[in-house]
């Protein structure tokens, strides 16, 4: 049934995609990587480097965004498939409920001072705008936004993002018969409160889901060509899926900072910076550093370099592939970025990783 809904929604929006008020966009990305040390060939790999991301184990993806926009109402839809490859025989990867990232309608009242949303939601008003893009709202539900002044958004939402479900052992399922196993519990964990203020100088955002998740974001824009932002995410012990040395559930906090500068206006086509992350978990803190630089030789060719350094507070919990303790691991990734046309990017890279050793690969991204 979920497959039918996804297909029907895709067909419906495609049928109206070129009517007045409709717009279509998205991208395709994929790649291949050969790990010469492990003699492994991966066809689902996509690695996007500095200064827009960190070289990690990202997957191939195709994304389709469809928007219908009128003055006081509209509709948003996103189809997304991640992780496909030439050796992937699982056809469900293309048509599953997970492919429907969001599909909702919205209406504006009082000259846009009040906005209502309903459907499978996405946080396009109060989310963080960093690489991680933290938010505490997703899933099916309703949302109301208040816009008292330009640039300020106050949001209250009730969604299935972190909703609890009835189990067979719950009284209402087994005894009272007022709910079925798997039904959503109507409690405070459905609620997310969030806010965001944005102008030409700063962006500040934050929110809290009553299941125990909080996030914050700050972006400074007062210095031309400078990138500086901080994003934070907190998960309470009940939802963090982390345990301490005694086996007890614990909370965790993740903080990421990005500082970068584009020297193009000085006559040097160079962009450089560092992306840093801290993961604070009782008995196992992790610190990550990713210095990067990108030098544009011309509009078609841009050499790039990124270094990754990860420091573990508890080295005995992070063994290398030989089983030895490691307090620090690192990687070095030189890349040649090619831009044959405005919406197409090709990267050819070499990666040396302390654990995975030598790898070479290429990635392709096409925006439309």
């Amino acid at each position: 049934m979920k497959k039918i809904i996804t297909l029907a929604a895709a067909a419906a929006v495609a049928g109206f995609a070129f009517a007045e008020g409709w717009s279509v966009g998205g991208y395709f990305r994929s790649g291949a990587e050969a790990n010469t040390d492990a003699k492994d060939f991966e066809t689902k790999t996509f690695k996007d480097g500095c200064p827009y991301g960190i070289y990690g184990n990202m997957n191939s993806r195709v994304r389709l965004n469809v928007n219908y926009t009128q003055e006081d109402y509209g509709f948003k839809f996103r189809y997304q498939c991640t992780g496909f490859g030439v050796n992937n025989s699982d056809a469900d990867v293309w048509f599953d409920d997970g492919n429907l990232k969001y599909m909702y309608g919205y209406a504006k009242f009082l000259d846009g001072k009040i906005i209502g949303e309903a459907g499978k939601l996405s946080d396009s008003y109060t989310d963080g705008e960093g690489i991680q893009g933290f938010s505490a709202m997703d899933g099916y539900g309703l949302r109301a936004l208040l816009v008292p002044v330009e640039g300020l958004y106050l949001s209250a939402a009730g969604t299935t993002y972190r909703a609890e479900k009835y189990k067979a052992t719950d009284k209402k399922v087994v005894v009272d018969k007022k709910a079925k196993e798997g039904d959503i519990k109507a409690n405070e964990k459905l609620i997310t409160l969030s806010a965001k203020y944005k102008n030409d100088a700063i962006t500040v955002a934050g929110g809290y889901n009553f299941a125990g998740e909080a996030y914050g974001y700050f972006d400074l824009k007062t210095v031309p060509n400078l990138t500086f932002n901080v994003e934070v995410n907190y998960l309470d012990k009940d939802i963090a899926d982390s345990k301490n040395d005694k086996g007890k559930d614990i909370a965790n906090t993740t903080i990421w900072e990005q500082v970068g500068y584009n020297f193009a206006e000085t006559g040097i086509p160079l962009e450089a910076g560092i992306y840093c992350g801290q993961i604070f978990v009782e008995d196992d803190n992790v610190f990550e550093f990713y210095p990067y630089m990108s030098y544009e030789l011309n509009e078609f060719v841009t050499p790039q370099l990124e270094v990754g350094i990860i420091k573990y507070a508890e080295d005995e919990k992070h063994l290398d592939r030989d089983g030895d303790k490691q307090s620090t691991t690192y990687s070095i990734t030189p890349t040649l970025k090619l831009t044959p046309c405005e919406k197409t990017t090709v990267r050819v890279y070499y990666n040396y990783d302390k654990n995975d050793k030598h790898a070479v690969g290429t990635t392709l991204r096409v925006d439309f």
Side-chain angles (χ1 to χ4, degrees), residues 330-345:
Y330 59 88
S331 63
I332 302 172
T333 311
T335 302
L336 190 63
K337 175 186 172 184
L338 307 174
T339 311
C341 58
E342 181 181 1
K343 295 187 176 183
T344 301
T345 302

Side-chain angles (χ1 to χ4, degrees), residues 189-253:
K189 295 182 179 181
L190 299 174
I191 300 173
T192 296
L193 302 179
S194 57
K196 186 174 187 176
Y197 178 70
K198 183 175 183 177
N199 60 27
D200 293 337
I202 62 169
T203 298
V204 181
Y208 181 72
N209 176 271
F210 283 80
E213 178 177 3
Y215 73 96
Y217 176 75
F218 174 76
D219 184 6
L220 181 66
K221 305 175 184 177
T222 54
V223 180
N225 305 308
L226 176 70
T227 298
F228 177 79
N229 60 65
V230 180
E231 44 192 341
V232 182
N233 183 248
Y234 169 81
L235 298 177
D236 188 67
K237 64 180 182 178
D238 294 329
I239 60 174
D241 194 26
S242 299
K243 296 183 182 297
N244 62 13
D245 290 345
K246 297 179 180 179
K248 293 184 178 180
D249 292 333
I250 54 175
N252 73 51
T253 301

Side-chain angles (χ1 to χ4, degrees), residues 121 241 277 286 340:
L121 302 178
D241 194 26
V286 179

